[in-house]
Amino acid sequence: MTDARPDASRDGQVAGPPFRWAILGTGPVSRKFAHGLRACRPPARLHAVVSRTEATAAAFAESFGAPHAVTSIGAAAESGAEALYIASPAHLHEAHATEALAAGLPVLVEKPLADSAAAAERLVAAARASHLFAAEAVWTRYLPVIRAVVSHLPEIGLPTAFEACFAVATQHQPGAPLFDPAKGGGALLHRGLYPVSLARAFLGPVARIEAAGRIGTTGVDEEAHLLLTHENGAVSRLRASLVAGGRNGATLSGERAMIEIAPPIWRPASAVLRRTRPTPAMATGGGRTEALRESAMGQRLSAGLLRPLRDRLSPPQRLGGAYRGNGYTHEAEAAAAAIAAGRAEAAEMPLAESIEVLAVIDEARARIAGAAP
């Protein structure tokens, strides 16, 4: 089925027919992606829903106005869908993506691209052989604020450090993929992937990995702490947790400036670049200046005046802008644009980086599991 009706874009210009998406899976993430399509520019629409049961597919399709509810990837391809968003459990991503590519459907695969680096390599090989688009849907990498941070990386000078956290206490539900090792569960694959992916985007390839954490009674890594040394000498300190909370922001530091990314790390809407000024070496000796500086009054004055004074001398620069829709919009737009241009992957999330990130997570998980009692 082909929709040949022109549609008006939000800037008033006449656009072609909406890009036709199929979605595999009917869980919460699939619903978020379907909602995100409503804010796409140029327009996009949900064209087909794929689920194991016809009733489940039909209910989802009806709630979003999709004309096709099917029970196979092949049927989605035959319906006229232009791409498939895969939101099945992580351990099924490789098989589902490979099947879609064989059916002629480009794929946008919900993170992680696969449940291991080896599986991701096989998936990417299948995509290369098919000459079709494939990308990992780490939606954070496609957001305007992260694109802005990447574009401003030269301004921080020599990069030195990156700190990030994605830690949210989550109630354990029996059978939930998040806590099921057989379904690709664990803090690193589902939460740590975000900070690891950003660390790779900002600081480049990783040369050395140190990891510590805890394997829970569920058998998955429930708490993970990573210390990554990048090939350029910069260091990333990252945390992921399924069982405890955290600030969930990020800070990138360089010799000339630092960039603070506001939480939540998975869907940031703002970032600030602060240029740094070298602090003079502390003078030795005593005297009245030292006595005032180290007094209670001096400490209060320092805390209350120095930051505003620094901001006045070197005003912070806001980067990027708010995301559209619910944030999932941008990854859908990037994929549709790449497919329309005949590109095999997304510039925002290169396939090689997806494999690198999974290799880091594989090694970190192995180290944490090896340290478990």
Side-chain angles (χ1 to χ4, degrees):
M1 175 179 176
T2 301
D3 184 357
R5 177 181 56 83
D7 198 352
S9 65
R10 298 199 177 198
D11 59 8
Q13 297 177 345
V14 176
F19 188 90
R20 300 183 301 277
W21 280 96
I23 291 180
L24 172 63
T26 57
V29 176
S30 294
R31 297 189 67 84
K32 290 177 183 291
F33 187 81
H35 280 292
L37 294 180
R38 292 170 167 167
C40 282
R41 303 175 186 168
R45 63 173 296 188
L46 180 56
H47 180 76
V49 179
V50 188
S51 183
R52 288 174 296 180
T53 65
E54 187 174 348
T56 303
F60 191 105
E62 182 180 5
S63 65
F64 288 96
H68 299 278
V70 299
T71 56
S72 72
I73 290 172
E78 293 172 359
S79 76
E82 296 177 81
L84 177 67
Y85 172 72
I86 295 174
S88 52
H91 71 296
L92 298 175
H93 286 181
E94 179 194 356
H96 286 156
T98 302
E99 182 180 350
L101 292 164
L105 270 179
V107 293
L108 180 64
V109 186
E110 177 56 33
K111 61 82 193 162
L113 185 64
D115 61 355
S116 69
E121 287 176 348
R122 293 190 295 267
L123 190 163
V124 170
R128 300 284 191 236
S130 70
H131 304 289
L132 292 172
F133 173 88
E136 183 182 18
V138 186
W139 62 325
T140 307
R141 292 285 295 266
Y142 301 84
L143 295 178
V145 66
I146 298 303
R147 293 183 186 182
V149 170
V150 171
S151 70
H152 284 80
L153 288 179
E155 297 184 35
I156 72 168
L158 181 68
T160 59
F162 178 64
E163 297 182 46
C165 170
F166 187 165
V168 177
T170 306
Q171 185 175 11
H172 174 229
Q173 296 179 343
L178 196 65
F179 289 94
D180 189 341
K183 295 180 180 178
L188 281 169
L189 268 182
H190 289 270
R191 303 217 167 129
L193 186 140
Y194 288 91
V196 174
S197 184
L198 289 176
R200 172 59 183 84
F202 298 153
L203 299 179
V206 174
R208 189 167 68 251
I209 301 166
E210 298 176 53
R214 184 181 66 191
I215 304 296
T217 57
T218 58
V220 303
D221 51 291
E222 296 182 353
E223 180 82 25
H225 298 254
L226 275 60
L227 189 68
L228 309 180
T229 303
H230 296 261
E231 290 181 359
N232 61 4
V235 175
S236 293
R237 188 174 67 183
L238 315 173
R239 177 183 170 226
S241 181
L242 300 179
V243 295
R247 179 177 176 271
N248 295 328
T251 302
L252 174 64
S253 301
E255 289 188 334
R256 294 202 303 265
M258 63 184 292
I259 297 176
E260 298 170 339
I261 301 173
I265 189 173
W266 56 92
R267 186 163 48 184
S270 65
V272 173
L273 183 149
R274 299 182 187 277
R275 289 172 177 81
T276 54
R277 291 171 173 265
T279 302
M282 187 174 294
T284 59
R288 294 182 179 180
T289 300
E290 180 186 73
L292 175 60
R293 184 179 63 238
E294 301 304 324
S295 68
M297 178 181 292
Q299 294 297 303
R300 287 196 297 270
L301 288 172
S302 177
L305 297 177
L306 284 185
R307 182 62 174 266
L309 180 59
R310 285 197 299 266
D311 287 350
R312 186 159 190 161
L313 292 173
S314 182
Q317 179 182 354
R318 295 202 169 272
L319 305 181
Y323 50 81
R324 281 184 287 106
N326 62 357
Y328 283 74
T329 301
H330 299 282
E331 63 183 9
E333 289 179 342
I339 291 167
R343 296 194 296 271
E345 57 186 297
E348 296 86 351
M349 189 66 251
L351 290 169
E353 286 191 25
S354 293
I355 295 172
E356 285 184 48
V357 167
L358 283 169
V360 169
I361 289 174
D362 284 350
E363 183 171 341
R365 287 196 299 178
R367 288 176 179 267
I368 293 170

